[in-house]
């Protein structure tokens, strides 16, 4: 793959997808939604609004899905790089905690930003054979550099939002 991408850089572009759908949860429901992730074998994820902003937190909230994306991305980066370097892992646990002052979202605090203000990542790693700590630090450093979600958070891309409006009419009434 690496050689192919060096020879044909355009072949290295991927586009990941997710979308919300209102087939299972009405668009008028204020506290729950439904997202479909992926295109190959799509995964349905029910979502809820966090209880800190008036929701029920009975399903994953978007922040938890972001934390899961970051944890899973760093986890797989560590696994892939360990494999490339011949490091056999016996245990890997990546924990992500995102912190936000919800006053920003609720527009109740002066100058409180909307969004997460803190990110804490913990990596607990054990190997099959004793490895010097500098090798393990180098493994984690390389995984950090390869983790698409982490690097996106560190250097966010330009975001464009397309808008489409319409209205529904009840054609059955006169």
């Amino acid at each position: 793959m690496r050689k192919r991408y060096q020879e044909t850089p355009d072949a290295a572009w991927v586009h990941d997808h997710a979308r919300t759908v209102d087939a299972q949860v009405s668009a008028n429901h204020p506290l729950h939604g439904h997202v479909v992730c992926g295109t190959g074998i799509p995964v349905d994820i029910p979502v809820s609004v966090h209880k800190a902003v008036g929701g029920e937190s009975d399903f994953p909230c978007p922040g938890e899905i972001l934390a899961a994306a970051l944890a899973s991305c760093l986890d797989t980066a560590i696994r892939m790089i360990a494999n490339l370097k011949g490091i056999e892992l016996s245990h890997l646990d990546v924990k992500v905690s995102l912190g936000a002052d919800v006053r920003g979202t609720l527009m109740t605090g002066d100058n409180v930003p909307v969004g997460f203000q803190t990110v804490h990542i913990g990596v607990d790693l054990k190997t099959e054979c004793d490895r010097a700590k500098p090798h393990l630090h180098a493994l984690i450093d390389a995984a950090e550099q390869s983790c698409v979600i982490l690097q996106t958070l560190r250097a966010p891309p330009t975001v464009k939002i397309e808008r489409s409006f319409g209205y529904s009419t009840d054609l059955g009434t006169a």
Side-chain angles (χ1 to χ4, degrees):
M1 286 184 152
R2 289 181 176 160
K3 184 177 179 183
R4 177 178 172 228
Y5 295 154
Q6 287 174 341
E7 293 171 359
T8 315
D10 287 345
W13 274 89
V14 298
H15 297 274
D16 292 333
H17 304 277
R19 68 186 189 101
T20 63
V21 294
D22 62 4
Q24 294 182 359
V25 179
S26 166
N28 284 321
H29 194 296
L31 302 178
H32 292 95
H34 188 89
V35 67
V36 178
C37 278
T39 55
I41 301 175
V43 175
D44 294 327
I45 303 172
V47 294
S48 71
V49 173
H50 198 285
K51 61 184 161 190
V53 294
E56 298 176 13
S57 293
D58 50 347
F59 293 111
C61 66
E64 291 169 322
I65 294 171
L66 177 61
L70 178 53
S72 64
C73 187
L74 187 56
D75 178 284
T76 56
I78 292 168
R79 290 170 189 266
M80 290 177 69
I81 293 167
N83 181 271
L84 286 171
K85 294 183 174 283
I87 299 172
E88 288 189 47
L89 302 178
S90 60
H91 173 78
L92 177 59
D93 185 11
V94 177
K95 294 179 183 171
V96 173
S97 176
L98 305 176
D101 183 337
V102 297
R103 292 177 300 161
T105 297
L106 297 172
M107 295 183 240
T108 61
D110 293 337
N111 301 317
V112 177
V114 176
F116 292 103
Q117 291 94 29
T118 65
V119 178
H120 181 265
I121 302 171
V123 177
D124 182 20
L125 182 142
K126 292 177 180 58
T127 60
E128 286 294 330
C129 55
D130 192 27
R131 289 283 180 146
K133 284 192 180 180
H135 290 285
L136 300 178
H137 284 293
L139 167 63
I140 302 299
D141 290 345
E144 280 187 47
Q145 291 301 311
S146 299
C147 178
V148 173
I149 305 299
L150 179 58
Q151 293 306 320
T152 300
L153 291 172
R154 286 181 170 160
T158 301
V159 177
K160 296 178 184 176
I161 298 178
E162 291 182 25
R163 300 168 189 216
S164 174
F165 301 104
Y167 64 93
S168 298
T169 59
D170 187 342
L171 300 175
T173 60

